[in-house]
Amino acid sequence: MKAVVLAAGEGTRLRPLTEDKPKAMVEVDGKPILTHCFEHLVELGADELLVVVGYLKEKIISYYGDEFEGIPITYSHQREALGLAHALLTVEEHIDDDFMLILGDNIFSANLADVVNRQQEDRADAAFLVEEVPWEEAGRYGVCDTNDYGEIVEVMEKPEDPPTNLVMTGFYTFTPSIFHACHLVQPSNRDEYELSDAINLLLQSGRTIDAIRMDGWRTDVGYPEDRDNAEERLREEREAREAAAEANDGEDAPLEADEA
């Protein structure tokens, strides 16, 4: 399965971290956000990485070149910042089957594989990783409403008065039908072609989209404090793994001769 990574953003809210680099190249725990994304996608079995670049794109291209851990990278240029649906259309010619989509400004430690597995069941036309957030934060994200079967029935992009606190996390799987919907999208009141509008067109056409509840955590790195928060959580996880490994080594260690 191919994987699309949207990494064209400038990251003005992340200044001064983005004064000389695109948002996706901001380092979190010693490596760029994009590297974290790539590592997840390789682990999920991606056979090609389609990376949409824009602002300071040469920084990304020169850093990664044409492959990552043996997986080929194809770059696509979003020449104007006109929204996620617009960005996604730049890779349309490279996609002819189900694919993964990840936003290149998120740090995940979560059950991404559950989304991919659901897509491969052929039960749904798309699957999204979703999470509940505090109500006061929901308006920062794409908010989704679901039915009793866990299927998404509507999405709203950064609503002023969110009807739910269930939000999309920035990891999705789609069939190529999403491209037709993206072509039909009209500019929003933000003068952008919103992915949420394309998703609603899919829903209106009778497509099924499953919401996979997140098990774990993710951080949308929109502000410098978000970067600091993600680093702290990754550091805590690493320290916990190291402590567990040391404990296991102690349990498995052979007894000394005088203890036998």
Side-chain angles (χ1 to χ4, degrees), residues 37-213:
C37 293
F38 287 175
E39 288 174 345
H40 287 308
L41 296 171
V42 170
E43 185 177 345
L44 291 167
D47 51 30
E48 183 179 0
L49 301 171
L50 302 170
V51 183
V52 181
V53 295
Y55 174 71
L56 294 180
K57 64 183 186 298
E58 65 279 358
K59 298 278 188 175
I60 294 175
I61 296 170
S62 63
Y63 187 90
Y64 293 103
D66 59 5
E67 67 174 41
F68 179 83
E69 295 185 3
I71 305 302
I73 299 176
T74 299
Y75 296 99
S76 180
H77 186 198
Q78 185 186 24
R79 300 183 183 280
E80 297 180 83
L82 294 178
L84 298 185
H86 179 266
L88 186 55
L89 282 174
T90 67
V91 300
E92 181 180 13
E93 63 181 302
H94 302 289
I95 302 281
D96 57 8
D97 205 346
D98 293 5
F99 66 97
M100 296 177 271
L101 172 65
I102 193 169
L103 304 187
D105 55 5
N106 282 262
I107 299 293
F108 286 96
S109 179
N111 53 323
L112 305 184
D114 289 346
V115 182
V116 177
N117 292 339
R118 179 61 56 85
Q119 187 72 29
Q120 293 173 336
E121 291 174 359
D122 290 331
R123 177 186 174 282
D125 299 284
F128 302 165
L129 190 68
V130 301
E131 70 168 327
E132 289 188 10
V133 300
W135 281 92
E136 64 271 16
E137 296 180 13
R140 287 180 56 184
Y141 308 107
V143 174
C144 50
D145 197 6
T146 58
N147 61 20
D148 293 339
Y149 302 102
E151 299 168 345
I152 293 175
V153 296
E154 184 182 12
V155 297
M156 295 137 278
E157 185 63 30
K158 300 178 180 175
E160 291 185 6
D161 186 19
T164 78
N165 64 333
L166 190 68
V167 304
M168 297 184 287
T169 64
F171 184 74
Y172 320 76
T173 54
F174 288 106
T175 67
S177 60
I178 187 62
F179 294 112
H180 179 63
C182 287
H183 279 293
L184 297 176
V185 168
Q186 298 299 308
S188 67
N189 56 12
R190 302 193 305 165
D191 289 326
E192 293 187 3
Y193 296 86
E194 308 284 3
L195 182 59
S196 56
D197 289 343
I199 292 167
N200 280 326
L201 289 174
L202 284 183
L203 293 169
Q204 291 164 18
S205 70
R207 309 278 180 168
T208 299
I209 301 178
D210 279 350
I212 308 299
R213 298 280 179 148

